Amino acid sequence: MSATLRPASPPPVVPDTARPALSRARYGLLACLFVITAINYLDRTNLSVALPHIKDELHLSGTQQGLLLSSFGWAYLLLQVPAGRLIDRIGAKLAFGYALVGWSLATIVVAAARSFVPLVGIRVALGAFEAPAFPSNNRLVVNWFPGRERGRATATYTSGEYIGLAVAAPVLSLLTVHFGWRSVFVITGIVGLLFSVVWFAKVYDRPEHSPKVSTAELAHIRQPDELESAEEIAAAKEQAAVLDTSVWSDLRVLLSNRRLWGMYIGQFASASVLFFFLTWFPSYLVEEKHMGIIKAGFWASAPYLAALVGTMAGGAWSDRMLNSGRFSRTFARKAPVMIGFVLASVIVCANFTNSVPLVITFMSIAFFAQGLMQNSWALFSDAVPRRLTGTGGGVFSFAANAGGVLTPLVIGVIVDRTGSFAWALGYIAIVVLVGLLAYALLIDKVERVEG
C-alpha cells in the first residue's frame, strides 16, 4: 500500500442535539452485516451447487474440480492483509461496498465461461473482490458494539453464511436442473448489485457519524471493559486517524505473539471444516452417497441450519458466561471453540454408513461444531491491538483462507487417487484435532496484545 494514501475524510460527527432520545441503531447495522455476509457466501459457494453439472459439461477430473474450487481462495488469501490495511485507511463501509459491487459483477460473468481456464480466472477475480469482507465485518462490530456484546454480534452476522446457504441450496439446485447452471450465477450476482444500493445508503463506519444513534446508545457502545480503559479507546481513535505507514512493523506485532499464533492455527482448522461444506459437500452427497442433485440440495439444508444454531449458541453462550462474572474472559471465549473442535471430528463417522439420515446427522453435528468455532472472531477481537483491528483481521482471515485454499485442492487429489471421499473426511478430522491442540497449548490467556 502506498505511503501517500490518506484516509478518506470521515462524515461529520452528528451533534448531540440532532440525535434521537433513544435508539438501537447498532442492530440496524448488524442487520446489514447479516445480509451482506449471506450474499458474500452465496456468491462464493454457488459453484459447489452447480459443480456436478459443470463437471459433466466441461469433463473435469477430481483434481481439476479441486483446483476450480480452490481458485477462489488464491487471491482472497493473498489480499487479506492488503485488504485489512485498506480498511484501516478508508473505512469498512467503502471497502466493503466497493467489494460487493465488484464480486457481484464477477459472479455474473461466470455465466459467460465456456472452458476450464476462463472459469478459474473469473473465480480468482471473485476471490480478490471478496477479500475485504470479514476484516470489514470485524472492524464494524468493534466500532459499533461494546466488548460484552461482540460475541453475539459476531455470531449474528456470521449466521448469515448459513441461513443464506440453507435457503439457497434447494433453490439453486432447482435453478440448476430447470434453467441450467449459468442461471445460478446471473441471479445471485444481481442480488448483490441490488443490495449495494442499500449498503451505501444505510451504513456508517462509526456510530457517532449516524444521525440515528442516540447519545445514550453512543455512551453504551463506547463503555470501556476490563480490556481497555476509556483513555485507551481515545488513544486508539487518534492512532487510527494517523496510522503508522509501516506495514512491516505492524505485522511484526501480529506475528510475534504466541497467543495470536494459536488463534491463527485454530482458524485454519475451523476454515478447513467450513470449506469442505462450502465446496465439496454437494458433490459428496451426489457422488459418494448417490443422491440426485435436487435431493442433495434439500438434504444439504440440514447441516447449514445446524451450523446456524451452533453459531448463535456459541456467541450467546460465550457472552453470557462473560457477563455473568463467574467465568474468566479466557474460558468464556475459548470454551465454545474448543468444544467445536472436538465435535467436528465426528465427520469421519459418515464413512461407516450409507443411511442418508445418519450421514446427514453426522454432517449436521460437524457443521454445528464449526458454528461453535465461529466464536473465534470474538476471541480475536478481544486480543488484537485495537489500532490494528483491520490489519489484524486481515492476518486472521489469511490464516482461515489458507485452509480455504488447501482443503478443496487436497480433497480433489484424494478423490482422484482413491476414488472415494473416505480419506478426505479423515483429513478434516486430523486438522480439527490440530486446532484443538493449538488452542489448548498456545492460548493461555485472552487479553489485549500490546502494539
Side-chain angles (χ1 to χ4, degrees):
M1 191 70 64
S2 171
T4 61
L5 185 62
R6 293 290 181 265
S9 298
V13 176
V14 179
D16 288 349
T17 55
R19 295 184 181 280
L22 181 65
S23 72
R24 295 180 180 272
R26 65 192 185 279
Y27 298 123
L29 177 279
L30 191 57
C32 286
L33 291 183
F34 173 89
V35 174
I36 199 171
T37 301
I39 294 170
N40 179 274
Y41 266 74
L42 186 61
D43 287 344
R44 73 172 69 180
T45 59
N46 46 20
L47 177 66
S48 66
V49 175
L51 187 60
H53 281 232
I54 296 173
K55 177 198 72 171
D56 292 339
E57 181 176 321
L58 302 184
H59 309 291
L60 303 181
S61 67
T63 300
Q64 285 178 310
Q65 292 175 71
L67 282 168
L68 182 56
L69 292 168
S70 172
S71 60
F72 166 89
W74 303 345
Y76 190 91
L77 174 70
L78 294 175
L79 291 177
Q80 283 304 297
V81 174
R85 199 71 176 170
L86 180 66
I87 292 161
D88 283 337
R89 292 178 178 277
I90 72 171
K93 172 185 175 174
L94 290 180
F96 213 169
Y98 294 146
L100 171 60
V101 173
W103 88 59
S104 298
L105 292 172
T107 298
I108 293 172
V109 173
V110 170
R114 293 293 184 272
S115 62
F116 175 69
V117 173
L119 197 53
V120 168
I122 297 167
R123 291 291 294 184
V124 172
L126 179 71
F129 282 118
E130 289 203 12
F134 272 77
S136 294
N137 280 338
N138 191 48
R139 165 55 67 90
L140 288 167
V141 165
V142 169
N143 286 352
W144 278 80
F145 288 85
R148 66 186 63 186
E149 293 181 2
R150 287 178 196 153
R152 278 172 290 183
T154 300
T156 299
Y157 80 68
T158 304
S159 69
E161 304 171 12
Y162 310 115
I163 289 182
L165 294 174
V167 172
V171 173
L172 296 183
S173 297
L174 288 169
L175 284 174
T176 301
V177 170
H178 294 293
F179 299 100
W181 64 264
R182 300 176 198 280
S183 65
V184 168
F185 299 94
V186 173
I187 290 173
T188 52
I190 289 173
V191 169
L193 290 177
L194 292 175
F195 186 72
S196 69
V197 178
V198 178
W199 180 266
F200 284 114
K202 297 295 185 181
V203 171
Y204 292 85
D205 271 305
R206 305 187 70 87
E208 54 265 36
H209 299 151
S210 172
K212 294 184 178 180
V213 177
S214 68
T215 303
E217 184 179 19
L218 188 60
H220 175 78
I221 292 170
R222 292 290 173 252
Q223 62 182 297
D225 61 22
E226 65 267 31
L227 288 180
E228 51 196 11
S229 66
E231 292 77 13
E232 287 173 326
I233 293 175
K237 290 180 184 177
E238 290 185 23
Q239 289 172 321
V242 188
L243 188 67
D244 181 0
T245 57
S246 173
V247 66
W248 300 113
S249 63
D250 293 341
L251 287 175
R252 193 176 302 114
V253 172
L254 295 168
L255 296 176
S256 61
N257 184 275
R258 185 188 70 175
R259 293 168 183 159
L260 293 182
W261 270 104
M263 298 175 201
Y264 301 148
I265 295 169
Q267 195 68 354
F268 175 92
S270 173
S272 296
V273 181
L274 176 63
F275 276 84
F276 166 75
F277 284 98
L278 298 186
T279 57
W280 279 104
F281 182 49
S283 293
Y284 166 81
L285 295 180
V286 171
E287 296 176 17
E288 186 81 2
K289 301 304 177 182
H290 310 294
M291 298 184 194
I293 190 168
I294 293 178
K295 182 178 179 181
F298 279 90
W299 275 109
S301 294
Y304 295 142
L305 290 173
L308 166 65
V309 174
T311 300
M312 299 302 293
W317 180 37
S318 176
D319 279 355
R320 177 169 292 187
M321 287 191 290
L322 183 64
N323 296 332
S324 71
R326 294 184 290 116
F327 300 93
S328 69
R329 181 175 294 270
T330 299
F331 184 86
R333 293 306 193 210
K334 283 178 61 176
V337 182
M338 295 183 72
I339 291 172
F341 285 134
V342 173
L343 290 178
S345 63
V346 306
I347 195 170
V348 296
C349 295
N351 285 335
F352 304 104
T353 180
N354 287 318
S355 165
V356 172
L358 273 178
V359 168
I360 296 302
T361 297
F362 292 134
M363 292 293 168
S364 297
I365 292 171
F367 214 6
F368 169 86
Q370 201 282 326
L372 291 178
M373 297 177 208
Q374 295 287 5
N375 197 59
S376 59
W377 272 102
L379 185 152
F380 185 75
S381 296
D382 287 346
V384 68
R386 191 177 180 91
R387 73 177 182 89
L388 297 178
T389 303
T391 304
V395 175
F396 193 59
S397 201
F398 179 98
N401 288 283
V405 168
L406 190 61
T407 297
L409 187 56
V410 169
I411 291 176
V413 172
I414 289 173
V415 170
D416 258 356
R417 295 290 179 87
T418 67
S420 167
F421 281 84
W423 283 104
L425 299 189
Y427 166 79
I428 298 297
I430 291 169
V431 170
V432 296
L433 291 178
V434 171
L436 176 66
L437 289 174
Y439 262 63
L441 301 177
L442 298 180
I443 308 174
D444 58 334
K445 188 174 183 182
V446 177
E447 61 183 10
R448 186 77 66 196
V449 173
E450 294 183 5

